[in-house]
Amino acid sequence: VIGAEALVRWQTADRGRVPPVEFIPIAEETGLIVEIGEWVLIEACRQTQLWNSDREGAPPLRVAVNVSPRQLHRGLLETQVRKALEISGLPPALLELELTESALIEDAEYVIATLGRIKALGVRMAIDDFGTGYSSFAYLRRFHIDTLKIDQSFVRDLLIDREDEAIVCAIVQMARSLGLSTLAEGVESAEISHALGMIECDFAQGYHFARPLPANEFAAFSKTSLQKV
Ligand code: MN
């Protein structure tokens, strides 16, 4: 286990746990996502730094945080990232921001400049759900991207659909040529995990490894896997 992706959940007193599919679109629409995004960034960095204070010599964990297009385009992302790193004390190289292709396409020159300044802090950049949007190969470099997160729609049927297999192989090979890391999303079986290893995809995530976990359970999970290795 090299790290975790931060996922937000909303526990309410009267309605129990509200699923993110219900509140994230409303937060996006109202703009509240900018404040939620800042809170998530700070909490994710703080939590990861806490986990890393108790790793008994094992390599420190990284954390990936999803960034909303509004957070990026409102001009607050750089300030929010600096604040989260400062409050938490997390080394910038352990933070990876996940952006979608559609968030990058709009006002590209502005995004390139913003991401360049954040990148200069030492933070890593990933494209989330890679392969489903308008991928511009020419931009991969200019957007300062480190990691391609291969969308689960290509990973799910990797062993039964030859076209999906070809797409995943092509993404991994292209990424390697460009010096980028690859991570497969939505891995739900040992067979698919093994196949991804054979084509030298660098990292993977999904239910095969763990379902989304509360922070305290993740701490225990990340340690169990250390012992197994
Ligand atoms: Mn993500």
Side-chain angles (χ1 to χ4, degrees):
V1 177
I2 57 122
E5 174 175 353
L7 301 175
V8 68
R9 296 292 182 266
W10 183 18
Q11 190 71 45
T12 62
D14 49 343
R15 290 198 296 152
R17 183 180 280 187
V18 182
V21 288
E22 277 180 31
F23 69 87
I24 294 292
I26 297 170
E28 289 274 5
E29 209 175 296
T30 58
L32 199 58
I33 195 72
V34 177
E35 283 80 20
I36 295 175
E38 177 177 279
W39 181 81
V40 169
L41 255 177
I42 294 170
E43 269 314 289
C45 291
R46 195 192 57 78
Q47 182 60 65
T48 306
Q49 184 69 340
L50 203 61
W51 286 328
N52 287 342
S53 65
D54 183 26
R55 290 278 290 166
E56 293 153 18
L61 295 165
R62 298 189 208 165
V63 69
V65 178
N66 296 287
V67 170
S68 134
R70 292 196 72 152
Q71 223 174 331
L72 179 60
H73 291 280
R74 192 70 71 79
L76 293 172
L77 188 60
E78 185 190 353
T79 312
Q80 292 184 339
V81 169
R82 283 177 180 276
K83 189 173 166 186
L85 292 172
E86 198 180 297
I87 291 175
S88 65
L90 185 76
L94 299 179
L95 173 63
E96 188 161 75
L97 301 180
E98 295 192 7
L99 304 132
T100 57
E101 289 160 295
S102 53
L104 298 176
I105 293 305
E106 190 193 324
D107 206 355
E109 291 309 316
Y110 170 79
V111 172
I112 287 166
T114 303
L115 296 187
R117 286 195 305 274
I118 297 174
K119 180 79 188 168
L121 302 172
V123 172
R124 298 171 57 88
M125 302 288 169
I127 298 189
D128 208 359
D129 309 328
F130 184 77
T132 58
Y134 298 95
S135 310
S136 164
F137 293 157
Y139 275 164
L140 285 177
R141 276 300 190 204
R142 298 192 63 208
F143 282 120
H144 312 279
I145 300 302
D146 301 285
T147 305
L148 302 182
K149 296 192 74 170
I150 305 168
D151 189 69
Q152 58 175 322
S153 60
F154 305 116
V155 175
R156 204 184 307 126
D157 296 331
L158 183 63
L159 297 174
I160 48 175
D161 186 321
R162 298 195 62 161
E163 287 178 357
D164 285 346
E165 187 193 3
I167 290 168
V168 173
C169 286
I171 293 173
V172 169
Q173 282 168 24
M174 176 198 64
R176 181 164 319 119
S177 314
L178 292 171
L180 306 173
S181 300
T182 45
L183 183 151
E185 300 181 299
V187 176
E188 298 191 351
S189 73
E191 290 75 20
I192 289 180
S193 174
H194 178 76
L196 288 163
M198 296 296 286
I199 61 171
E200 295 183 50
C201 180
D202 299 307
F203 307 106
Q205 69 178 55
Y207 283 10
H208 169 60
F209 306 101
R211 294 189 171 244
L213 297 168
N216 58 338
E217 288 177 35
F218 179 79
F221 166 76
S222 66
K223 283 182 186 166
T224 325
S225 68
L226 280 178
Q227 283 155 13
K228 267 191 245 165
V229 173

